[in-house]
Amino acid sequence: MSSSTLRPKAQERPHEQDVARRLLDSAAVLAYDPAAEVDWETPLDKDFHGASPEWSTLYGTAYWNELTDAQRKELTRQEAASVASTGIWFEMILQQMVLRDIYAKDPTDARFQWALTEIAEECRHSIMFARGAQKLGAPAYRPHRFAVELGRLFKTVAFGEAAYAAILVAEEVLDVMQRDWMRDKRVVPFVRTINNIHVVEESRHMKFARDETRKRLRGAGRLRRQINAFVVAIASYVIVTSMVNKSVYANAGLDEERAIGEARANEHHKSMMRSSCSGLMEFLASAGLLTRPALFFYKRAHLI
């Protein structure tokens, strides 16, 4: 029997084990309980926005300029609630993909333990987002039925680098906008707390997703990269275009048809999305996942 056969698993994969162990150590030191950390008791103060106004889909449009201050604040509250609801939808997809990935694997492996830790954090985030949307006075925003069914298919068939790269895309886009919201004193305090919790804990999830994407792509051939790049791009397009439900405008008391038209043509918002994804696009390119067909969908979603 060769010495390599006897070599301990931790020595066979030192880098992956080290990354997972560091993430576990971080979670042990810096983790939050949203039930205790977020101020759920104080009534909603409608003098605040729900998100930084600059991130509103109407910011910079003629319609935005016509809105009263109260209308702008109500719109950003509805938009923030919609983003939170989309986050819940995707976090449920994420949890199922990660659980499937570690099914029947070695529970002593640090990556197995980290995966369960990540799922636990995502469960807390989903409850936090649900309570936050409710406190913002928003209805239950859900993605379009077509997006829901695509998500159902994706969580069932996606594996390896396709799953982890899609996870990364969703988390990176949310991360940039929430970093702005959590520092913005115009945003209602309990939403800032929610954003801070999510940013801190999701930074670990993004680290793991990047590491797993690189690991799964080692030795991958051109065809495999092409297929996965295409799948991830479609998933990214569906996720990003589902973030703000069209119903937010009517629920904010606006002319829905006009608001949808001006939001679609809003170059400011498109620019904000592109700037938020510059680092993500660099990573996808370095991983060989920014192919010509994939670029089509990223451009359609205004991520590049």
Side-chain angles (χ1 to χ4, degrees):
M1 183 177 292
S2 67
S3 60
S4 61
T5 306
L6 297 172
R7 195 184 314 158
K9 185 180 296 183
Q11 292 181 13
E12 290 178 347
R13 300 191 303 264
H15 172 68
E16 289 86 357
Q17 291 285 327
D18 287 348
V19 168
R21 287 195 185 97
R22 287 198 298 271
L23 293 174
L24 284 167
D25 290 343
S26 173
V29 173
L30 189 58
Y32 296 94
D33 177 5
E37 298 281 349
V38 180
D39 179 6
W40 300 114
E41 301 304 321
T42 302
L44 174 66
D45 187 341
K46 293 190 175 182
D47 285 336
F48 287 92
H49 284 275
S52 295
E54 293 78 9
W55 276 101
S56 173
T57 54
L58 287 182
Y59 184 87
T61 65
Y63 201 179
W64 177 269
N65 294 334
E66 296 174 18
L67 299 180
T68 65
D69 187 55
Q71 286 176 312
R72 292 174 180 176
K73 288 171 178 174
E74 180 60 31
L75 175 60
T76 61
R77 289 195 294 269
Q78 293 296 323
E79 288 177 320
S82 179
V83 170
S85 296
T86 302
I88 295 169
W89 168 61
F90 189 72
E91 285 181 345
M92 292 179 72
I93 294 173
L94 179 160
Q95 290 169 51
Q96 293 178 72
M97 291 192 298
V98 174
L99 271 175
R100 193 176 70 248
D101 187 53
I102 65 170
Y103 176 70
K105 291 186 177 177
D106 181 2
T108 67
D109 191 309
R111 287 177 298 164
F112 181 98
Q113 295 170 24
W114 163 252
L116 290 179
T117 302
E118 179 171 338
I119 291 167
E121 290 182 344
E122 295 293 10
C123 285
R124 292 195 296 272
H125 294 170
S126 293
I127 296 169
M128 175 176 73
F129 284 160
R131 294 184 68 180
Q134 183 180 31
K135 185 167 180 175
L136 284 168
Y141 289 115
R142 294 184 179 90
H144 190 275
R145 179 62 182 269
F146 182 65
V148 170
E149 296 307 321
L150 277 180
R152 195 187 307 279
L153 174 65
F154 182 72
K155 72 179 178 59
T156 303
V157 302
F159 64 93
E161 62 271 17
Y164 284 102
I167 288 169
L168 181 64
V169 170
E171 291 174 342
E172 288 261 9
V173 173
L174 275 174
D175 181 72
V176 174
M177 63 175 68
Q178 288 185 329
R179 284 180 185 272
D180 284 349
W181 302 357
M182 74 183 194
R183 301 186 186 104
D184 193 337
K185 293 185 178 180
R186 297 170 295 177
V187 175
V188 65
F190 83 91
V191 169
R192 294 175 61 195
T193 303
I194 287 173
N195 291 328
N196 182 68
I197 291 171
H198 197 247
V199 164
V200 170
E201 296 189 340
E202 287 295 329
S203 66
R204 295 191 286 262
H205 303 181
M206 290 188 290
K207 172 68 175 174
F208 189 65
R210 284 175 181 260
D211 195 62
E212 287 295 305
T213 300
R214 292 191 190 97
K215 178 173 71 72
R216 306 302 175 96
L217 282 170
R218 286 181 198 150
R222 183 176 182 276
L223 178 60
R224 177 174 160 184
R225 288 178 188 270
Q226 289 281 333
I227 292 172
N228 282 311
F230 186 69
V231 170
V232 171
I234 293 175
S236 303
Y237 175 82
V238 173
I239 293 163
V240 171
T241 56
S242 298
M243 280 189 171
V244 177
N245 191 294
K246 294 180 178 63
S247 300
V248 300
Y249 306 114
N251 290 332
L254 309 186
D255 179 330
E256 184 173 312
E257 185 176 350
R258 181 186 175 189
I260 290 172
E262 294 207 24
R264 283 176 176 165
N266 189 353
E267 292 300 325
H268 170 80
H269 191 258
K270 293 174 186 177
S271 175
M272 293 287 282
M273 293 299 293
R274 285 193 294 269
S275 64
S276 74
C277 292
S278 57
L280 170 64
M281 293 300 129
E282 288 177 10
F283 173 78
L284 293 176
S286 70
L289 295 176
L290 204 57
T291 60
R292 188 181 297 275
L295 277 171
F296 171 80
F297 288 97
Y298 291 125
K299 287 178 180 178
R300 284 286 300 269
H302 310 296
L303 300 183
I304 195 169

